[in-house]
Amino acid sequence: MSDARLKDKKWRINNLYKIRNKAGELVKFKRNRAQEHFNAHLHRLNIILKSRQLGFTTDEAIDSLDDTLFTPNTDVLLIAHNLEAGESIFTKKIAFAWEKLHPQLKVLYKVDNKTSKTLKFDFGKKGFSSIAVDTSGRSGTYRRLHVTELADISKKFPKKVPDIIEGTFPAVPSNGRIDVESTSQGASGEFYEMFMPAWEWQQEHSGEPLSPYQWKAHFFNWTWDDDELEKIT
């Protein structure tokens, strides 16, 4: 495992991490077509309307863990739509990928703290990095934030939405990144109100957002699901 390869984030993402696939088999994580497209067209603020089973939460978990491991002083927070989902994301995706990491790499890291929803790594004089999953995140400053199923949160737990938008979004600095993803829950709610203006602006101007403070909308419907396409071809 050469140092040159380890400096290449794209190589690391597609070669270092293990997941369980839909059949429950232990496999090497490799980005699918939708995940590749999204990561090739990133913006600082991303809002993603997507079909189910495209694996965006898995991709975000792996990519965030990679940032935590390879960039000292990086704090990442993933916000789940409920406690059960949060525990599942942390245990089955983040902690699992860490535990299955090649022993030659794991030995290079000192785990400063591990709980049921947090991994913190000690880089010595270079500082610390951490990755956590929770249902909110008002306290703390995060280099990177991912919110999963915001439309579902808006529908079932509307009181949590201001805490996320007004309390957590400002905790990400101007050089940080926020990704918000969700399946559709109808033409109402905070996710819809965030996604549609960004999407309509992009369709009208046929271009990228002009400001790092402007949301970029990404839309991935069922035609991005290669497994589903195979069923009808």
Side-chain angles (χ1 to χ4, degrees):
M1 202 175 298
S2 69
D3 291 340
R5 284 187 172 183
L6 290 178
K7 292 177 181 178
D8 183 344
K9 182 178 177 66
K10 186 174 182 179
W11 184 89
R12 296 196 308 262
I13 293 296
N14 288 296
N15 288 276
L16 293 185
Y17 304 101
K18 300 289 182 63
I19 62 168
R20 290 205 179 276
N21 63 16
K22 294 176 183 179
E25 302 163 328
L26 180 65
V27 297
K28 181 168 65 177
F29 176 75
K30 185 175 178 60
R31 279 184 170 144
N32 61 32
R33 188 163 53 95
Q35 294 160 357
E36 286 280 9
H37 187 278
F38 170 67
N39 282 281
H41 297 83
L42 285 173
H43 183 55
R44 177 182 168 255
L45 303 178
N46 301 283
I47 185 160
I48 310 154
L49 175 60
K50 45 90 175 180
S51 175
R52 297 187 183 279
Q53 302 300 317
L54 290 178
F56 276 102
T57 303
T58 298
D59 179 67
E60 189 78 13
I62 296 297
D63 195 87
S64 295
L65 175 61
D66 185 81
D67 277 356
T68 307
L69 292 173
F70 286 89
T71 311
N73 295 307
T74 295
D75 292 305
V76 181
L77 177 65
L78 287 82
I79 293 181
H81 53 296
N82 59 51
L83 187 60
E84 181 180 2
E87 291 176 348
S88 178
I89 291 169
F90 185 81
T91 302
K92 296 181 180 180
K93 302 182 188 299
I94 296 169
F96 184 86
W98 161 248
E99 293 299 332
K100 298 300 181 183
L101 195 65
H102 196 286
Q104 287 183 337
L105 285 176
K106 285 190 70 177
V107 74
L108 301 177
Y109 294 92
K110 179 182 177 181
V111 178
D112 180 74
N113 185 37
K114 182 181 179 183
T115 69
S116 61
K117 59 182 181 180
T118 303
L119 263 173
K120 185 177 181 182
F121 299 95
D122 184 352
F123 287 87
K125 292 182 179 180
K126 293 183 179 180
F128 296 85
S129 285
S130 68
I131 182 168
V133 182
D134 212 330
T135 56
S136 64
R138 183 172 285 274
S139 62
T141 301
Y142 307 100
R143 176 80 174 187
R144 184 168 171 181
L145 172 68
H146 178 82
V147 183
T148 181
E149 297 299 343
L150 182 61
D152 194 61
I153 297 173
S154 300
K155 184 177 180 180
K156 297 178 180 177
F157 311 102
K159 292 183 179 180
K160 287 186 177 182
V161 176
D163 187 58
I164 294 171
I165 294 176
E166 299 169 15
T168 310
F169 283 6
V172 180
S174 58
N175 61 349
R177 170 179 156 192
I178 302 176
D179 300 333
V180 178
E181 52 97 350
S182 189
T183 50
S184 176
Q185 293 285 350
S188 63
E190 196 65 38
F191 178 82
Y192 178 84
E193 296 298 328
M194 291 172 62
F195 179 85
M196 287 309 299
W199 180 256
E200 290 172 352
W201 186 92
Q202 287 165 216
Q203 300 308 300
E204 181 179 349
H205 294 83
S206 299
E208 295 288 305
L210 301 176
S211 163
Y213 301 98
Q214 186 177 352
W215 288 92
K216 181 175 181 178
H218 306 259
F219 177 47
F220 297 93
N221 60 19
W222 69 272
T223 63
W224 287 88
D225 188 335
D226 291 332
D227 290 338
E228 288 298 313
L229 288 176
E230 286 181 6
K231 295 177 183 178
I232 60 175
T233 56

